[in-house]
Amino acid sequence: MPDRSSALTPDALAMMDAIARTGSFAAAARELGKVPSALTYSVRQLEEALDVLLFDRSSRQAQLTAAGTELLVEGRRLLQEMDAVANRVRRVASGWETQLSISVEDILSVPTLFELVQAFCDVRELREGSTERQAPGTRIRLRTDVLTGTWEALVTGQVDLAIGVSAGHANPGGIELRLLGEVPFVFCMAPHHPLASREGPLADAELVHHRAVAVADTAQRLAPATVNLLPGQDVLTVPNMRMKAEALLRCLGCGFIPEPLARPHLEAGTLVQKETARAPTVAQMHYAWRAERGGTAGLGRALQWWLQQLESPTTRRALLERHAGPLC
């Protein structure tokens, strides 16, 4: 009987994955560049080593048994872990992360963000032993968050960099913050909204009788923030600021939105800005990352690249202000 430790190889686990994905030994053999009889033999060797049946022989399809399903699930996990180890080793050698995850606050400029992504994808450098410039190979993973959710994504380890966090959160330690800038908010509604014709600043006693449009905080573990909502007020909650602007345009409510996002609509007359009795809302935004003992020199090179871009006042201003088109 084959030894268990020698039977459970990466090739054997990859074979199980291919058979399960393709649904047959023949299709898996084509994918792996082998003949079906070779796969059949390998599966039997694996079954003998583990002393279990991995496939139901009574089915014409490659139907996994319960034991086969368990091996497939654990095998895929082991393959992912082995790949992660290999990636970490390559990072140590090259300094570039295998993946960089970034959380971006929903109110920031999407066009500017993708210009940064494009610039990163265009990075090329000479590698040792090569005469051609090559890309770093770091995969960028973007996500958008709202309010506390952006901070939560960083402190819980879901992302490596958070762009657009406030400074009002308790720092658990080891988090560096840098100022991104300020975003003024304006109170808006459609021209045919009942409040659009009111004179003077709008008091809370009047606003409470009109539906507010709010963007939901994406925090799951930390306490979500509630901003500019009044007790007892009707609220339409949407997942992002672009949808909030659309709701305001459709006269589904009123609310505060970033002035750069509202600007083209205010100029076109499709939204109306009104003053409120409360103080003007200005959001102070930061970007944050986990610090290393050696400062930025101890960080992965992909994160260093992004932090270097964020040092530019022009880049920071564009992230806060440059929204291309009414709802982009």
Side-chain angles (χ1 to χ4, degrees):
M1 178 182 293
D3 180 69
R4 292 182 181 180
S5 59
S6 61
L8 284 173
T9 64
D11 285 344
L13 297 175
M15 173 190 67
M16 289 288 296
D17 179 69
I19 296 171
R21 282 188 294 100
T22 59
S24 72
F25 282 70
R30 287 194 298 272
E31 179 179 301
L32 299 174
K34 298 182 178 182
V35 295
S37 59
L39 257 64
T40 301
Y41 176 78
S42 296
V43 169
R44 286 176 178 169
Q45 291 287 96
L46 187 57
E47 289 178 327
E48 288 181 16
L50 300 176
D51 195 24
V52 295
L53 284 176
L54 300 174
F55 290 93
D56 183 357
R57 293 323 196 257
S58 64
S59 174
R60 297 185 63 182
Q61 296 291 322
Q63 188 69 41
L64 287 165
T65 63
T69 300
E70 180 66 16
L71 178 60
L72 176 66
V73 171
E74 290 300 311
R76 285 173 172 170
R77 181 183 62 80
L78 289 171
L79 288 172
Q80 290 174 349
E81 290 183 359
M82 285 187 285
D83 185 55
V85 170
N87 288 334
R88 286 195 294 269
V89 170
R90 285 196 295 270
R91 175 189 167 182
V92 170
S94 69
W96 291 97
E97 300 92 318
T98 301
Q99 177 173 286
L100 185 73
S101 297
I102 304 173
S103 171
V104 183
E105 162 62 46
D106 175 61
I107 68 173
L108 298 183
S109 166
V110 172
T112 304
L113 174 64
F114 278 100
E115 286 174 5
L116 289 169
V117 172
Q118 183 64 59
F120 180 81
C121 291
D122 290 340
V123 170
R124 297 291 185 273
E125 68 169 11
L126 285 173
R127 300 287 182 87
E128 185 177 352
S130 174
T131 59
E132 295 184 359
R133 292 186 175 274
Q134 301 176 9
T138 301
R139 297 189 298 269
I140 298 296
R141 182 172 183 177
L142 298 175
R143 55 181 282 176
T144 57
D145 285 290
V146 177
L147 296 172
T148 307
T150 311
W151 176 255
E152 179 185 89
L154 179 67
V155 298
T156 57
Q158 298 175 66
V159 299
D160 307 294
L161 172 64
I163 307 176
V165 299
S166 70
H169 305 291
N171 192 330
I175 303 293
E176 288 284 342
L177 282 91
R178 295 288 185 274
L179 182 64
L180 189 67
E182 294 184 341
V183 180
F185 280 67
V186 291
F187 189 75
C188 295
M189 65 212 67
H192 49 293
H193 189 281
L195 292 176
S197 59
R198 296 289 196 274
E199 297 292 336
L202 300 172
D204 288 353
E206 189 169 18
L207 292 176
V208 72
H209 300 296
H210 298 270
R211 183 187 303 113
V213 183
V215 179
D217 193 317
T218 55
Q220 298 294 318
R221 302 178 189 179
L222 301 179
T226 301
V227 182
N228 290 318
L229 295 180
L230 300 171
Q233 187 177 24
D234 185 18
V235 180
L236 169 63
T237 303
V238 295
N240 57 61
M241 191 60 70
R242 278 76 186 170
M243 290 186 68
K244 179 173 182 176
E246 182 66 29
L248 297 182
L249 289 167
R250 294 175 180 273
C251 202
L252 293 175
C254 52
F256 288 91
I257 60 174
E259 189 278 333
L261 185 63
R263 191 181 306 154
H265 296 293
L266 295 174
E267 293 173 351
T270 52
L271 284 180
V272 174
Q273 177 183 349
K274 300 293 290 184
E275 292 185 14
T276 61
R278 65 181 64 186
T281 299
V282 178
Q284 191 175 72
M285 313 297 288
H286 298 74
Y287 57 99
W289 70 96
R290 281 187 180 76
E292 296 285 344
R293 290 182 179 178
T296 56
L299 302 175
R301 294 181 65 186
L303 180 54
Q304 289 186 48
W305 185 93
W306 279 82
L307 293 176
Q308 184 179 19
Q309 309 311 305
L310 291 170
E311 289 177 1
S312 165
T314 301
T315 299
R316 296 197 299 267
R317 185 166 56 252
L319 281 168
L320 296 170
E321 297 182 2
R322 192 166 63 82
H323 296 272
L327 295 178
C328 297

